[in-house]
Amino acid sequence: MPALLLDVPFKASLDGFTVLLDGVPHAFVTRLDAMTFAMEHARAHVRQGGEAYVSVEGADGIWRLFKPDLTAPLTS
């Protein structure tokens, strides 16, 4: 099972906060809704035996990689 990576942008586009899942865009009105969607799908992927991460863009424009529970950023 390939690893899953979900990106959550800092700023909304014209469609809202868009998260891609399997190449399909999912737009949300709020960033919190987008984060919740990403976390839920990442957790489900891990429960099925896969590896999943959520990449979150900060206000500084830097993308940070998190585990599905968003409690600990991964560092290199």
Side-chain angles (χ1 to χ4, degrees), residues 43-54:
R43 287 179 183 152
H45 192 76
V46 168
R47 281 193 301 272
Q48 295 172 354
E51 188 176 3
Y53 300 97
V54 178

Side-chain angles (χ1 to χ4, degrees), residues 4-7 18-26 37-38 41-42 45:
L4 178 66
L5 176 63
L6 297 158
D7 296 323
T18 303
V19 177
L20 287 178
L21 178 63
D22 296 328
V24 177
H26 298 268
F37 173 85
H41 283 277
H45 192 76

